[in-house]
Every structure is written in C-alpha cells, then in structure tokens.
PDB file of all heavy atoms in Angstrom:
ATOM      1  N   PHE A   1      13.322  -4.124  17.344  1.00  0.00           N
ATOM      2  CA  PHE A   1      13.089  -3.896  15.915  1.00  0.00           C
ATOM      3  C   PHE A   1      13.443  -2.438  15.605  1.00  0.00           C
ATOM      4  O   PHE A   1      12.583  -1.622  15.321  1.00  0.00           O
ATOM      5  CB  PHE A   1      11.632  -4.219  15.579  1.00  0.00           C
ATOM      6  CG  PHE A   1      11.272  -4.166  14.115  1.00  0.00           C
ATOM      7  CD1 PHE A   1      12.217  -3.964  13.118  1.00  0.00           C
ATOM      8  CD2 PHE A   1       9.944  -4.335  13.731  1.00  0.00           C
ATOM      9  CE1 PHE A   1      11.855  -3.914  11.783  1.00  0.00           C
ATOM     10  CE2 PHE A   1       9.569  -4.291  12.392  1.00  0.00           C
ATOM     11  CZ  PHE A   1      10.527  -4.080  11.430  1.00  0.00           C
ATOM     12  N   VAL A   2      14.723  -2.126  15.698  1.00  0.00           N
ATOM     13  CA  VAL A   2      15.206  -0.759  15.463  1.00  0.00           C
ATOM     14  C   VAL A   2      15.574  -0.559  14.001  1.00  0.00           C
ATOM     15  O   VAL A   2      15.196   0.433  13.375  1.00  0.00           O
ATOM     16  CB  VAL A   2      16.405  -0.432  16.383  1.00  0.00           C
ATOM     17  CG1 VAL A   2      17.021   0.926  16.011  1.00  0.00           C
ATOM     18  CG2 VAL A   2      15.960  -0.431  17.840  1.00  0.00           C
ATOM     19  N   VAL A   3      16.326  -1.492  13.445  1.00  0.00           N
ATOM     20  CA  VAL A   3      16.700  -1.421  12.028  1.00  0.00           C
ATOM     21  C   VAL A   3      15.557  -2.009  11.213  1.00  0.00           C
ATOM     22  O   VAL A   3      15.227  -3.185  11.342  1.00  0.00           O
ATOM     23  CB  VAL A   3      18.002  -2.190  11.742  1.00  0.00           C
ATOM     24  CG1 VAL A   3      18.332  -2.136  10.249  1.00  0.00           C
ATOM     25  CG2 VAL A   3      19.144  -1.604  12.563  1.00  0.00           C
ATOM     26  N   GLY A   4      14.926  -1.182  10.392  1.00  0.00           N
ATOM     27  CA  GLY A   4      13.772  -1.645   9.634  1.00  0.00           C
ATOM     28  C   GLY A   4      13.702  -0.987   8.280  1.00  0.00           C
ATOM     29  O   GLY A   4      14.658  -0.359   7.812  1.00  0.00           O
ATOM     30  N   GLY A   5      12.539  -1.113   7.638  1.00  0.00           N
ATOM     31  CA  GLY A   5      12.385  -0.570   6.294  1.00  0.00           C
ATOM     32  C   GLY A   5      13.364  -1.215   5.333  1.00  0.00           C
ATOM     33  O   GLY A   5      13.896  -2.298   5.598  1.00  0.00           O
ATOM     34  N   PRO A   6      13.639  -0.569   4.213  1.00  0.00           N
ATOM     35  CA  PRO A   6      14.553  -1.144   3.222  1.00  0.00           C
ATOM     36  C   PRO A   6      15.982  -1.322   3.726  1.00  0.00           C
ATOM     37  O   PRO A   6      16.764  -2.044   3.108  1.00  0.00           O
ATOM     38  CB  PRO A   6      14.506  -0.131   2.074  1.00  0.00           C
ATOM     39  CG  PRO A   6      13.160   0.518   2.216  1.00  0.00           C
ATOM     40  CD  PRO A   6      12.948   0.632   3.691  1.00  0.00           C
ATOM     41  N   ASP A   7      16.328  -0.677   4.836  1.00  0.00           N
ATOM     42  CA  ASP A   7      17.652  -0.884   5.423  1.00  0.00           C
ATOM     43  C   ASP A   7      17.741  -2.241   6.110  1.00  0.00           C
ATOM     44  O   ASP A   7      18.828  -2.815   6.257  1.00  0.00           O
ATOM     45  CB  ASP A   7      17.949   0.234   6.422  1.00  0.00           C
ATOM     46  CG  ASP A   7      19.402   0.241   6.876  1.00  0.00           C
ATOM     47  OD1 ASP A   7      20.287  -0.157   6.082  1.00  0.00           O
ATOM     48  OD2 ASP A   7      19.663   0.661   8.024  1.00  0.00           O
ATOM     49  N   GLY A   8      16.589  -2.774   6.518  1.00  0.00           N
ATOM     50  CA  GLY A   8      16.558  -4.086   7.152  1.00  0.00           C
ATOM     51  C   GLY A   8      16.288  -5.212   6.173  1.00  0.00           C
ATOM     52  O   GLY A   8      16.872  -6.291   6.274  1.00  0.00           O
ATOM     53  N   ASP A   9      15.388  -4.966   5.222  1.00  0.00           N
ATOM     54  CA  ASP A   9      15.028  -5.953   4.201  1.00  0.00           C
ATOM     55  C   ASP A   9      14.761  -5.231   2.888  1.00  0.00           C
ATOM     56  O   ASP A   9      14.047  -4.220   2.871  1.00  0.00           O
ATOM     57  CB  ASP A   9      13.759  -6.730   4.597  1.00  0.00           C
ATOM     58  CG  ASP A   9      13.983  -7.628   5.800  1.00  0.00           C
ATOM     59  OD1 ASP A   9      14.613  -8.683   5.635  1.00  0.00           O
ATOM     60  OD2 ASP A   9      13.513  -7.269   6.893  1.00  0.00           O
ATOM     61  N   ALA A  10      15.266  -5.758   1.802  1.00  0.00           N
ATOM     62  CA  ALA A  10      14.982  -5.178   0.495  1.00  0.00           C
ATOM     63  C   ALA A  10      13.496  -5.330   0.165  1.00  0.00           C
ATOM     64  O   ALA A  10      12.837  -6.275   0.598  1.00  0.00           O
ATOM     65  CB  ALA A  10      15.826  -5.852  -0.587  1.00  0.00           C
ATOM     66  N   GLY A  11      12.977  -4.384  -0.606  1.00  0.00           N
ATOM     67  CA  GLY A  11      11.581  -4.419  -1.005  1.00  0.00           C
ATOM     68  C   GLY A  11      11.430  -4.506  -2.508  1.00  0.00           C
ATOM     69  O   GLY A  11      12.303  -4.052  -3.260  1.00  0.00           O
ATOM     70  N   LEU A  12      10.325  -5.107  -2.963  1.00  0.00           N
ATOM     71  CA  LEU A  12      10.016  -5.218  -4.382  1.00  0.00           C
ATOM     72  C   LEU A  12       8.522  -4.985  -4.604  1.00  0.00           C
ATOM     73  O   LEU A  12       7.699  -5.388  -3.777  1.00  0.00           O
ATOM     74  CB  LEU A  12      10.366  -6.610  -4.919  1.00  0.00           C
ATOM     75  CG  LEU A  12      11.839  -6.967  -5.071  1.00  0.00           C
ATOM     76  CD1 LEU A  12      11.971  -8.456  -5.367  1.00  0.00           C
ATOM     77  CD2 LEU A  12      12.473  -6.157  -6.188  1.00  0.00           C
ATOM     78  N   THR A  13       8.189  -4.398  -5.732  1.00  0.00           N
ATOM     79  CA  THR A  13       6.787  -4.269  -6.119  1.00  0.00           C
ATOM     80  C   THR A  13       6.158  -5.652  -6.305  1.00  0.00           C
ATOM     81  O   THR A  13       6.781  -6.559  -6.845  1.00  0.00           O
ATOM     82  CB  THR A  13       6.667  -3.488  -7.445  1.00  0.00           C
ATOM     83  OG1 THR A  13       7.248  -2.194  -7.276  1.00  0.00           O
ATOM     84  CG2 THR A  13       5.225  -3.324  -7.870  1.00  0.00           C
ATOM     85  N   GLY A  14       4.929  -5.800  -5.845  1.00  0.00           N
ATOM     86  CA  GLY A  14       4.142  -6.988  -6.162  1.00  0.00           C
ATOM     87  C   GLY A  14       4.401  -8.208  -5.316  1.00  0.00           C
ATOM     88  O   GLY A  14       3.983  -9.310  -5.689  1.00  0.00           O
ATOM     89  N   ARG A  15       5.045  -8.051  -4.164  1.00  0.00           N
ATOM     90  CA  ARG A  15       5.330  -9.224  -3.325  1.00  0.00           C
ATOM     91  C   ARG A  15       4.317  -9.434  -2.205  1.00  0.00           C
ATOM     92  O   ARG A  15       4.481 -10.358  -1.395  1.00  0.00           O
ATOM     93  CB  ARG A  15       6.732  -9.120  -2.717  1.00  0.00           C
ATOM     94  CG  ARG A  15       7.816  -9.504  -3.676  1.00  0.00           C
ATOM     95  CD  ARG A  15       9.058 -10.008  -2.968  1.00  0.00           C
ATOM     96  NE  ARG A  15       9.603  -9.067  -2.002  1.00  0.00           N
ATOM     97  CZ  ARG A  15      10.853  -9.114  -1.551  1.00  0.00           C
ATOM     98  NH1 ARG A  15      11.684 -10.058  -1.981  1.00  0.00           N
ATOM     99  NH2 ARG A  15      11.283  -8.233  -0.668  1.00  0.00           N
ATOM    100  N   LYS A  16       3.295  -8.604  -2.146  1.00  0.00           N
ATOM    101  CA  LYS A  16       2.305  -8.733  -1.069  1.00  0.00           C
ATOM    102  C   LYS A  16       0.907  -8.918  -1.649  1.00  0.00           C
ATOM    103  O   LYS A  16      -0.050  -8.257  -1.267  1.00  0.00           O
ATOM    104  CB  LYS A  16       2.373  -7.516  -0.140  1.00  0.00           C
ATOM    105  CG  LYS A  16       3.614  -7.502   0.743  1.00  0.00           C
ATOM    106  CD  LYS A  16       3.591  -8.631   1.747  1.00  0.00           C
ATOM    107  CE  LYS A  16       4.852  -8.719   2.585  1.00  0.00           C
ATOM    108  NZ  LYS A  16       5.965  -9.344   1.846  1.00  0.00           N
ATOM    109  N   ILE A  17       0.779  -9.866  -2.587  1.00  0.00           N
ATOM    110  CA  ILE A  17      -0.479 -10.031  -3.298  1.00  0.00           C
ATOM    111  C   ILE A  17      -1.584 -10.606  -2.420  1.00  0.00           C
ATOM    112  O   ILE A  17      -2.767 -10.341  -2.653  1.00  0.00           O
ATOM    113  CB  ILE A  17      -0.300 -10.885  -4.574  1.00  0.00           C
ATOM    114  CG1 ILE A  17       0.237 -12.285  -4.246  1.00  0.00           C
ATOM    115  CG2 ILE A  17       0.609 -10.176  -5.568  1.00  0.00           C
ATOM    116  CD1 ILE A  17       0.333 -13.205  -5.469  1.00  0.00           C
ATOM    117  N   ILE A  18      -1.243 -11.369  -1.402  1.00  0.00           N
ATOM    118  CA  ILE A  18      -2.268 -11.903  -0.504  1.00  0.00           C
ATOM    119  C   ILE A  18      -2.713 -10.818   0.476  1.00  0.00           C
ATOM    120  O   ILE A  18      -3.905 -10.682   0.781  1.00  0.00           O
ATOM    121  CB  ILE A  18      -1.772 -13.158   0.230  1.00  0.00           C
ATOM    122  CG1 ILE A  18      -1.376 -14.235  -0.790  1.00  0.00           C
ATOM    123  CG2 ILE A  18      -2.827 -13.688   1.188  1.00  0.00           C
ATOM    124  CD1 ILE A  18      -2.482 -14.631  -1.755  1.00  0.00           C
ATOM    125  N   VAL A  19      -1.775 -10.026   0.957  1.00  0.00           N
ATOM    126  CA  VAL A  19      -2.112  -8.857   1.778  1.00  0.00           C
ATOM    127  C   VAL A  19      -3.009  -7.905   0.990  1.00  0.00           C
ATOM    128  O   VAL A  19      -3.963  -7.333   1.525  1.00  0.00           O
ATOM    129  CB  VAL A  19      -0.826  -8.130   2.234  1.00  0.00           C
ATOM    130  CG1 VAL A  19      -1.150  -6.773   2.855  1.00  0.00           C
ATOM    131  CG2 VAL A  19      -0.051  -8.991   3.224  1.00  0.00           C
ATOM    132  N   ASP A  20      -2.735  -7.732  -0.291  1.00  0.00           N
ATOM    133  CA  ASP A  20      -3.497  -6.801  -1.126  1.00  0.00           C
ATOM    134  C   ASP A  20      -4.932  -7.245  -1.356  1.00  0.00           C
ATOM    135  O   ASP A  20      -5.783  -6.427  -1.713  1.00  0.00           O
ATOM    136  CB  ASP A  20      -2.826  -6.647  -2.497  1.00  0.00           C
ATOM    137  CG  ASP A  20      -1.593  -5.770  -2.466  1.00  0.00           C
ATOM    138  OD1 ASP A  20      -1.428  -5.004  -1.496  1.00  0.00           O
ATOM    139  OD2 ASP A  20      -0.797  -5.844  -3.417  1.00  0.00           O
ATOM    140  N   THR A  21      -5.208  -8.537  -1.184  1.00  0.00           N
ATOM    141  CA  THR A  21      -6.512  -9.065  -1.591  1.00  0.00           C
ATOM    142  C   THR A  21      -7.319  -9.565  -0.383  1.00  0.00           C
ATOM    143  O   THR A  21      -7.906  -8.760   0.322  1.00  0.00           O
ATOM    144  CB  THR A  21      -6.333 -10.146  -2.665  1.00  0.00           C
ATOM    145  OG1 THR A  21      -5.393 -11.146  -2.205  1.00  0.00           O
ATOM    146  CG2 THR A  21      -5.805  -9.544  -3.960  1.00  0.00           C
ATOM    147  N   TYR A  22      -7.329 -10.874  -0.137  1.00  0.00           N
ATOM    148  CA  TYR A  22      -8.268 -11.445   0.833  1.00  0.00           C
ATOM    149  C   TYR A  22      -7.585 -12.212   1.964  1.00  0.00           C
ATOM    150  O   TYR A  22      -8.224 -12.983   2.674  1.00  0.00           O
ATOM    151  CB  TYR A  22      -9.264 -12.347   0.086  1.00  0.00           C
ATOM    152  CG  TYR A  22      -9.923 -11.626  -1.063  1.00  0.00           C
ATOM    153  CD1 TYR A  22      -9.525 -11.869  -2.389  1.00  0.00           C
ATOM    154  CD2 TYR A  22     -10.894 -10.658  -0.832  1.00  0.00           C
ATOM    155  CE1 TYR A  22     -10.105 -11.182  -3.445  1.00  0.00           C
ATOM    156  CE2 TYR A  22     -11.481  -9.959  -1.883  1.00  0.00           C
ATOM    157  CZ  TYR A  22     -11.082 -10.225  -3.190  1.00  0.00           C
ATOM    158  OH  TYR A  22     -11.658  -9.534  -4.238  1.00  0.00           O
ATOM    159  N   GLY A  23      -6.294 -12.009   2.120  1.00  0.00           N
ATOM    160  CA  GLY A  23      -5.588 -12.609   3.245  1.00  0.00           C
ATOM    161  C   GLY A  23      -5.536 -14.119   3.225  1.00  0.00           C
ATOM    162  O   GLY A  23      -5.398 -14.754   4.272  1.00  0.00           O
ATOM    163  N   GLY A  24      -5.654 -14.719   2.031  1.00  0.00           N
ATOM    164  CA  GLY A  24      -5.611 -16.167   1.921  1.00  0.00           C
ATOM    165  C   GLY A  24      -6.968 -16.836   2.041  1.00  0.00           C
ATOM    166  O   GLY A  24      -7.069 -18.058   1.904  1.00  0.00           O
ATOM    167  N   ALA A  25      -8.025 -16.063   2.262  1.00  0.00           N
ATOM    168  CA  ALA A  25      -9.357 -16.634   2.415  1.00  0.00           C
ATOM    169  C   ALA A  25     -10.014 -16.979   1.086  1.00  0.00           C
ATOM    170  O   ALA A  25     -11.061 -17.615   1.063  1.00  0.00           O
ATOM    171  CB  ALA A  25     -10.257 -15.659   3.187  1.00  0.00           C
ATOM    172  N   ALA A  26      -9.400 -16.546  -0.012  1.00  0.00           N
ATOM    173  CA  ALA A  26      -9.944 -16.805  -1.346  1.00  0.00           C
ATOM    174  C   ALA A  26      -8.795 -17.094  -2.295  1.00  0.00           C
ATOM    175  O   ALA A  26      -7.637 -16.750  -2.014  1.00  0.00           O
ATOM    176  CB  ALA A  26     -10.741 -15.591  -1.829  1.00  0.00           C
ATOM    177  N   PRO A  27      -9.087 -17.704  -3.451  1.00  0.00           N
ATOM    178  CA  PRO A  27      -8.015 -17.971  -4.423  1.00  0.00           C
ATOM    179  C   PRO A  27      -7.409 -16.677  -4.961  1.00  0.00           C
ATOM    180  O   PRO A  27      -8.014 -15.606  -4.901  1.00  0.00           O
ATOM    181  CB  PRO A  27      -8.743 -18.732  -5.544  1.00  0.00           C
ATOM    182  CG  PRO A  27     -10.016 -19.204  -4.958  1.00  0.00           C
ATOM    183  CD  PRO A  27     -10.390 -18.218  -3.904  1.00  0.00           C
ATOM    184  N   HIS A  28      -6.203 -16.810  -5.506  1.00  0.00           N
ATOM    185  CA  HIS A  28      -5.514 -15.681  -6.151  1.00  0.00           C
ATOM    186  C   HIS A  28      -4.914 -16.167  -7.459  1.00  0.00           C
ATOM    187  O   HIS A  28      -4.333 -17.246  -7.514  1.00  0.00           O
ATOM    188  CB  HIS A  28      -4.417 -15.128  -5.239  1.00  0.00           C
ATOM    189  CG  HIS A  28      -3.930 -13.768  -5.630  1.00  0.00           C
ATOM    190  ND1 HIS A  28      -3.266 -13.519  -6.818  1.00  0.00           N
ATOM    191  CD2 HIS A  28      -4.019 -12.572  -5.001  1.00  0.00           C
ATOM    192  CE1 HIS A  28      -2.969 -12.238  -6.894  1.00  0.00           C
ATOM    193  NE2 HIS A  28      -3.421 -11.634  -5.806  1.00  0.00           N
ATOM    194  N   GLY A  29      -5.051 -15.357  -8.503  1.00  0.00           N
ATOM    195  CA  GLY A  29      -4.537 -15.753  -9.815  1.00  0.00           C
ATOM    196  C   GLY A  29      -3.042 -15.592  -9.975  1.00  0.00           C
ATOM    197  O   GLY A  29      -2.470 -16.069 -10.956  1.00  0.00           O
ATOM    198  N   GLY A  30      -2.382 -14.904  -9.035  1.00  0.00           N
ATOM    199  CA  GLY A  30      -0.927 -14.778  -9.065  1.00  0.00           C
ATOM    200  C   GLY A  30      -0.404 -13.457  -9.565  1.00  0.00           C
ATOM    201  O   GLY A  30       0.770 -13.141  -9.365  1.00  0.00           O
ATOM    202  N   GLY A  31      -1.225 -12.668 -10.229  1.00  0.00           N
ATOM    203  CA  GLY A  31      -0.762 -11.392 -10.766  1.00  0.00           C
ATOM    204  C   GLY A  31      -0.881 -10.279  -9.748  1.00  0.00           C
ATOM    205  O   GLY A  31      -1.900 -10.151  -9.063  1.00  0.00           O
ATOM    206  N   ALA A  32       0.166  -9.461  -9.657  1.00  0.00           N
ATOM    207  CA  ALA A  32       0.147  -8.304  -8.760  1.00  0.00           C
ATOM    208  C   ALA A  32      -0.595  -7.144  -9.420  1.00  0.00           C
ATOM    209  O   ALA A  32      -0.872  -7.156 -10.625  1.00  0.00           O
ATOM    210  CB  ALA A  32       1.567  -7.898  -8.400  1.00  0.00           C
ATOM    211  N   PHE A  33      -0.904  -6.118  -8.626  1.00  0.00           N
ATOM    212  CA  PHE A  33      -1.674  -4.968  -9.102  1.00  0.00           C
ATOM    213  C   PHE A  33      -0.807  -3.729  -9.333  1.00  0.00           C
ATOM    214  O   PHE A  33      -0.941  -3.054 -10.355  1.00  0.00           O
ATOM    215  CB  PHE A  33      -2.768  -4.601  -8.092  1.00  0.00           C
ATOM    216  CG  PHE A  33      -3.741  -5.703  -7.785  1.00  0.00           C
ATOM    217  CD1 PHE A  33      -4.416  -5.714  -6.568  1.00  0.00           C
ATOM    218  CD2 PHE A  33      -3.996  -6.730  -8.676  1.00  0.00           C
ATOM    219  CE1 PHE A  33      -5.332  -6.711  -6.270  1.00  0.00           C
ATOM    220  CE2 PHE A  33      -4.905  -7.742  -8.388  1.00  0.00           C
ATOM    221  CZ  PHE A  33      -5.571  -7.725  -7.176  1.00  0.00           C
ATOM    222  N   SER A  34       0.023  -3.404  -8.358  1.00  0.00           N
ATOM    223  CA  SER A  34       0.688  -2.098  -8.357  1.00  0.00           C
ATOM    224  C   SER A  34       1.669  -1.947  -9.504  1.00  0.00           C
ATOM    225  O   SER A  34       2.312  -2.904  -9.941  1.00  0.00           O
ATOM    226  CB  SER A  34       1.403  -1.865  -7.022  1.00  0.00           C
ATOM    227  OG  SER A  34       0.463  -1.708  -5.982  1.00  0.00           O
ATOM    228  N   GLY A  35       1.765  -0.718 -10.002  1.00  0.00           N
ATOM    229  CA  GLY A  35       2.657  -0.398 -11.109  1.00  0.00           C
ATOM    230  C   GLY A  35       2.054  -0.660 -12.472  1.00  0.00           C
ATOM    231  O   GLY A  35       2.731  -0.486 -13.486  1.00  0.00           O
ATOM    232  N   LYS A  36       0.763  -1.043 -12.515  1.00  0.00           N
ATOM    233  CA  LYS A  36       0.128  -1.412 -13.780  1.00  0.00           C
ATOM    234  C   LYS A  36      -1.052  -0.491 -14.077  1.00  0.00           C
ATOM    235  O   LYS A  36      -1.914  -0.276 -13.214  1.00  0.00           O
ATOM    236  CB  LYS A  36      -0.368  -2.861 -13.714  1.00  0.00           C
ATOM    237  CG  LYS A  36       0.761  -3.875 -13.506  1.00  0.00           C
ATOM    238  CD  LYS A  36       0.228  -5.283 -13.317  1.00  0.00           C
ATOM    239  CE  LYS A  36       1.369  -6.271 -13.096  1.00  0.00           C
ATOM    240  NZ  LYS A  36       0.880  -7.642 -12.847  1.00  0.00           N
ATOM    241  N   ASP A  37      -1.107   0.015 -15.306  1.00  0.00           N
ATOM    242  CA  ASP A  37      -2.263   0.807 -15.718  1.00  0.00           C
ATOM    243  C   ASP A  37      -3.459  -0.127 -15.909  1.00  0.00           C
ATOM    244  O   ASP A  37      -3.298  -1.353 -15.980  1.00  0.00           O
ATOM    245  CB  ASP A  37      -1.941   1.575 -17.004  1.00  0.00           C
ATOM    246  CG  ASP A  37      -1.921   0.677 -18.228  1.00  0.00           C
ATOM    247  OD1 ASP A  37      -3.004   0.351 -18.731  1.00  0.00           O
ATOM    248  OD2 ASP A  37      -0.815   0.297 -18.668  1.00  0.00           O
ATOM    249  N   PRO A  38      -4.687   0.425 -15.999  1.00  0.00           N
ATOM    250  CA  PRO A  38      -5.875  -0.437 -15.994  1.00  0.00           C
ATOM    251  C   PRO A  38      -6.144  -1.229 -17.269  1.00  0.00           C
ATOM    252  O   PRO A  38      -7.118  -1.993 -17.301  1.00  0.00           O
ATOM    253  CB  PRO A  38      -7.016   0.545 -15.712  1.00  0.00           C
ATOM    254  CG  PRO A  38      -6.511   1.871 -16.147  1.00  0.00           C
ATOM    255  CD  PRO A  38      -5.043   1.841 -15.848  1.00  0.00           C
ATOM    256  N   THR A  39      -5.305  -1.122 -18.308  1.00  0.00           N
ATOM    257  CA  THR A  39      -5.440  -2.067 -19.424  1.00  0.00           C
ATOM    258  C   THR A  39      -4.886  -3.429 -19.035  1.00  0.00           C
ATOM    259  O   THR A  39      -5.178  -4.431 -19.707  1.00  0.00           O
ATOM    260  CB  THR A  39      -4.716  -1.587 -20.700  1.00  0.00           C
ATOM    261  OG1 THR A  39      -3.300  -1.560 -20.475  1.00  0.00           O
ATOM    262  CG2 THR A  39      -5.213  -0.217 -21.142  1.00  0.00           C
ATOM    263  N   LYS A  40      -4.086  -3.467 -17.971  1.00  0.00           N
ATOM    264  CA  LYS A  40      -3.560  -4.743 -17.484  1.00  0.00           C
ATOM    265  C   LYS A  40      -4.657  -5.448 -16.689  1.00  0.00           C
ATOM    266  O   LYS A  40      -5.047  -5.001 -15.602  1.00  0.00           O
ATOM    267  CB  LYS A  40      -2.338  -4.537 -16.596  1.00  0.00           C
ATOM    268  CG  LYS A  40      -1.018  -4.385 -17.327  1.00  0.00           C
ATOM    269  CD  LYS A  40      -0.873  -3.097 -18.059  1.00  0.00           C
ATOM    270  CE  LYS A  40       0.555  -2.863 -18.549  1.00  0.00           C
ATOM    271  NZ  LYS A  40       0.661  -1.622 -19.335  1.00  0.00           N
ATOM    272  N   VAL A  41      -5.146  -6.566 -17.206  1.00  0.00           N
ATOM    273  CA  VAL A  41      -6.264  -7.241 -16.554  1.00  0.00           C
ATOM    274  C   VAL A  41      -5.884  -7.866 -15.218  1.00  0.00           C
ATOM    275  O   VAL A  41      -6.763  -8.176 -14.411  1.00  0.00           O
ATOM    276  CB  VAL A  41      -6.913  -8.289 -17.488  1.00  0.00           C
ATOM    277  CG1 VAL A  41      -7.753  -7.613 -18.552  1.00  0.00           C
ATOM    278  CG2 VAL A  41      -5.874  -9.214 -18.106  1.00  0.00           C
ATOM    279  N   ASP A  42      -4.589  -8.062 -14.958  1.00  0.00           N
ATOM    280  CA  ASP A  42      -4.183  -8.476 -13.618  1.00  0.00           C
ATOM    281  C   ASP A  42      -4.839  -7.576 -12.585  1.00  0.00           C
ATOM    282  O   ASP A  42      -5.265  -8.042 -11.517  1.00  0.00           O
ATOM    283  CB  ASP A  42      -2.652  -8.371 -13.460  1.00  0.00           C
ATOM    284  CG  ASP A  42      -1.929  -9.603 -13.934  1.00  0.00           C
ATOM    285  OD1 ASP A  42      -2.574 -10.649 -14.103  1.00  0.00           O
ATOM    286  OD2 ASP A  42      -0.707  -9.515 -14.154  1.00  0.00           O
ATOM    287  N   ARG A  43      -4.887  -6.306 -12.912  1.00  0.00           N
ATOM    288  CA  ARG A  43      -5.458  -5.320 -12.000  1.00  0.00           C
ATOM    289  C   ARG A  43      -6.957  -5.115 -12.248  1.00  0.00           C
ATOM    290  O   ARG A  43      -7.782  -5.346 -11.374  1.00  0.00           O
ATOM    291  CB  ARG A  43      -4.706  -3.998 -12.158  1.00  0.00           C
ATOM    292  CG  ARG A  43      -5.227  -2.884 -11.281  1.00  0.00           C
ATOM    293  CD  ARG A  43      -4.323  -1.666 -11.245  1.00  0.00           C
ATOM    294  NE  ARG A  43      -4.150  -1.237  -9.862  1.00  0.00           N
ATOM    295  CZ  ARG A  43      -3.138  -0.527  -9.411  1.00  0.00           C
ATOM    296  NH1 ARG A  43      -2.165  -0.151 -10.224  1.00  0.00           N
ATOM    297  NH2 ARG A  43      -3.072  -0.189  -8.136  1.00  0.00           N
ATOM    298  N   SER A  44      -7.303  -4.680 -13.449  1.00  0.00           N
ATOM    299  CA  SER A  44      -8.682  -4.254 -13.707  1.00  0.00           C
ATOM    300  C   SER A  44      -9.678  -5.407 -13.608  1.00  0.00           C
ATOM    301  O   SER A  44     -10.793  -5.232 -13.084  1.00  0.00           O
ATOM    302  CB  SER A  44      -8.780  -3.580 -15.077  1.00  0.00           C
ATOM    303  OG  SER A  44      -8.312  -4.427 -16.102  1.00  0.00           O
TER     304      SER A  44
END
C-alpha cells in the first residue's frame, strides 16, 4: 500500500457518514455533517 491518499483514490466531503457516527450500530438519516454551519439540521 505505497500509493495512497488522493493519488490512489479520489476523495469527497460527506462520504463517511457511518464512520462519522455509530459504525452501523444505529440508524442514520443520510445527511453528512462536514462543510455545514450549525443552522443545517443535518449537523446540529
């Protein structure tokens, strides 16, 4: 695993919503958190 990071795979904001929360142990509403100010209820 020498070639990694964005050189190995492209990255996007909001694609790790299960990692960000409970690892699949609980439901998720589908909205990502990062890049959003706290008026966005997805986050707050």
Side-chain angles (χ1 to χ4, degrees):
F1 186 6
V2 173
V3 178
D7 191 31
D9 292 284
L12 288 170
T13 301
R15 280 206 304 200
K16 288 293 176 282
I17 60 176
I18 301 303
V19 169
D20 284 342
T21 53
Y22 307 103
H28 196 295
F33 302 155
S34 292
K36 298 175 181 177
D37 74 79
T39 66
K40 276 71 169 177
V41 285
D42 274 344
R43 179 169 227 157
S44 56

